[in-house]
Amino acid sequence: QQEVVTPNGYRLDIIVELDGKRVGIEVDGPSHFAGRDPMGSTILKRRQVVNADGIQLVSIPYWEWNNLVDSNDKGNYINGKLGVTIT
């Protein structure tokens, strides 16, 4: 699912189901960081989504995402973050 709102009102870019568990994927843009350190609101969101909504969360910083050339690279990157091996 894309652009999902959690029960506690947080928006996630994507939610996938992996081994029976819901996993949220967030591509965090520049407004989520001070330099390369996450802002307090981003840290709180991550904590709330995991603890209150029960959704595991994978955060992808924009500088890593922007360095990926094409959809194949992006797919491989996400699969690596999720620990998925495609053969």
Side-chain angles (χ1 to χ4, degrees):
Q1 296 176 316
Q2 293 182 346
E3 274 296 311
V4 178
V5 178
T6 71
N8 285 300
Y10 290 103
R11 291 189 181 276
L12 300 178
D13 293 325
I14 300 171
I15 290 186
V16 297
E17 190 164 319
L18 188 62
D19 297 328
K21 296 179 184 173
R22 294 187 332 151
V23 179
I25 301 172
E26 276 285 284
V27 179
D28 289 329
S31 65
H32 291 267
F33 298 93
R36 296 247 170 139
D37 296 321
M39 303 287 282
S41 59
T42 298
I43 293 169
L44 177 62
K45 175 182 178 177
R46 292 175 183 172
R47 187 178 308 137
Q48 289 292 97
V49 167
V50 172
N51 294 328
D53 291 316
I55 300 170
Q56 295 301 309
L57 191 59
V58 173
S59 178
I60 301 172
Y62 70 94
W63 62 86
E64 291 180 6
W65 189 252
N66 289 348
N67 284 331
L68 301 170
V69 176
D70 57 28
S71 60
N72 189 45
D73 286 346
K74 290 177 180 180
N76 288 335
Y77 177 88
I78 291 172
N79 287 338
K81 286 280 203 177
L82 293 173
V84 174
T85 304
I86 297 180
T87 56

